Structures are given as C-alpha cells and as structure tokens.
Amino acid sequence: SQQGEEDPQALSIQEGENATMNCSYKTSINNLQWYRQNSGRGLVHLILIRSNEREKHSGRLRVTLDTSKKSSSLLITASRAADTASYFCATDATTDKLIFGTGTRLQVFP
Amino acid sequence: SQTIHQWPATLVQPVGSPLSLECTVEGTSNPNLYWYRQAAGRGLQLLFYSVGIGQISSEVPQNLSASRPQDRQFILSSKKLLLSDSGFYLCAWSFKRGGFTEKLFFGSGTQLSVL
C-alpha cells in the first residue's frame, strides 16, 4: 500500500525556476525522506527530516515537514536541466520499513 | 565504503519459468535489506525486507519469495513467473538504527519482462 502521495504527478519548468513538490502521508511517522530517480536507474537519497524537525536544507534543496497536516514539501531552487528526474517521498510509519509515495516527474527545460 | 551489487540488469523470461535475482552488499555488516518493485511510471512497492539472516518479512502476498542465506546476500525468487511479475526490481540496504528507519542505498535495478 502507498503511504505517501506526491503532488503534482508531473511538473515542467524552465531552467532557473524553482520546483516545488508536495507529499502527503496517512499515519504518524518517525522520519520522512526524499529520493531522486533518473530514468531506469536506482533511487538516490536526497534528504531526511525527522518528525521533530520543521525544515531542513541541503544545497539547493529545502524540505519542510508539517506533522499536523501530515505533509511535506521539497523545493529545488534555481533548477537545472540535470535536475530532470522523478522525485519520491518515503515514510517509516513502522521501524525498518520505508514506504514510498507515487512520485513527481520533474522536467527542466534548458 | 559500502557498495551494493544487483544483477542482472535486464532479464526476459517466459511465463512459467523460475526466477532468481541476487543482491549483495559490501563494506558493512548486519544491514537491513529490502526488495522493491516498480511498475512502469509508478511508485515503489515494498515486497520483502530482512533485518537479519533467515529473517524475512513479506509485505504483499504474491508469486514471489525472498531469502537471506548470508548476512549481506538477499535473493528474490519465483518458481513460476506470471505476466504480472514484470517490472523494475530494486534491492536496497540500510544501516540499523534503533527506533527509526535510516536512509536506503539502492542498487541499479533489474528490469524484468515476463512474456
């Protein structure tokens, strides 16, 4: 079963613009993670935010977490063509088990 | 440093044939191990995870099974493949941390086509 749902399903922007993706989940969590997947490849971990944190930054990435709304957002600033990929959120409602959302496909045009 | 190996990269199998996908991790001990499946253009579905040798948790009742014969080896199997078993299979590992799930490190995936 899917724990998280990303929104939008697909996003197309121009280089230099910001990209925002949202994730909603259903149950209480210990942490929420964001991953990136290039077409036909494995996933790469981007950032982890714990349930007691509200915001986290890593380079051009900014993640927020609102546990009262059971939602998170991933902001990529100053997007580049190389950011084109699918982005997934994942939550660990149960220890040792990470459940992924449905993903957002991001297309960044040069 | 740690590495994860998953093979083969691509596999085409007839319906009713057996399956064995292997995943190994190097550079760490006692990892948590995971098998996920991804349908085309979709999210990841957790199939199995293991916290130790011989300890397998199954998430979805299906035509597949998993085994962990050694600490850093995780095998996904089927006795008879179905068309619906087609998909992109991903192995992953994580460190153990008490109380929550650490980040996952993924293999490069196996694209399985059952014809």
Side-chain angles (χ1 to χ4, degrees):
Chain A
S1 63
Q2 300 291 146
Q3 160 75 319
E5 295 285 338
E6 279 90 340
D7 171 58
Q9 290 188 339
L11 180 61
S12 295
I13 59 174
Q14 296 292 130
E15 265 192 333
E17 295 180 338
N18 295 341
T20 299
M21 289 158 264
N22 302 297
C23 168
S24 60
Y25 56 92
K26 299 175 183 175
T27 62
S28 297
I29 61 172
N30 296 308
N31 69 57
L32 185 144
Q33 304 179 32
W34 284 91
Y35 289 78
R36 165 196 169 123
Q37 182 183 34
N38 287 77
S39 181
R41 308 292 296 272
L43 280 73
V44 175
H45 180 266
L46 295 176
I47 198 164
L48 181 155
I49 186 166
R50 306 210 186 281
S51 60
N52 61 354
E53 298 175 308
R54 291 297 168 259
E55 188 171 313
K56 205 160 185 180
H57 296 254
S58 177
R60 293 184 295 112
L61 306 180
R62 172 178 170 256
V63 168
T64 61
L65 179 64
D66 187 334
T67 53
S68 66
K69 296 181 179 178
K70 291 186 171 59
S71 67
S72 173
S73 68
L74 170 67
L75 168 66
I76 304 174
T77 60
S79 296
R80 306 165 182 169
D83 294 328
T84 294
S86 292
Y87 293 81
F88 295 88
C89 69
T91 53
D92 70 336
T94 305
T95 300
D96 294 326
K97 195 166 85 170
L98 203 59
I99 304 298
F100 284 78
T102 51
T104 292
R105 295 186 305 279
L106 173 66
Q107 176 79 51
V108 182
F109 292 98
Chain B
S1 64
Q2 302 86 22
T3 57
I4 179 169
H5 302 279
Q6 185 182 345
W7 67 93
T10 306
L11 191 58
V12 180
Q13 293 284 97
V15 170
S17 64
L19 173 73
S20 180
L21 301 181
E22 189 164 343
C23 172
T24 60
V25 180
E26 296 178 357
T28 189
S29 60
N30 196 26
N32 287 346
L33 295 171
Y34 303 83
W35 278 111
Y36 286 88
R37 178 170 61 197
Q38 185 177 31
R42 302 290 299 279
L44 276 71
Q45 179 185 37
L46 178 61
L47 301 177
F48 302 95
Y49 68 99
S50 171
V51 299
I53 295 175
Q55 300 179 60
I56 309 294
S57 295
S58 174
E59 289 300 299
V60 184
Q62 56 204 322
N63 186 40
L64 303 169
S65 62
S67 62
R68 184 171 178 173
Q70 300 180 44
D71 181 45
R72 291 169 291 175
Q73 183 185 28
F74 206 22
I75 298 172
L76 183 70
S77 304
S78 173
K79 292 182 180 178
K80 289 186 178 181
L81 283 168
L82 306 172
L83 287 174
S84 57
D85 292 323
S86 295
F88 191 50
Y89 288 81
L90 288 157
C91 181
W93 73 273
S94 73
F95 291 106
K96 282 192 175 55
R97 294 286 186 269
F100 58 88
T101 303
E102 272 285 348
K103 67 180 183 181
L104 300 187
F105 298 89
F106 281 85
S108 53
T110 295
Q111 183 64 55
L112 173 66
S113 298
V114 182
L115 305 177

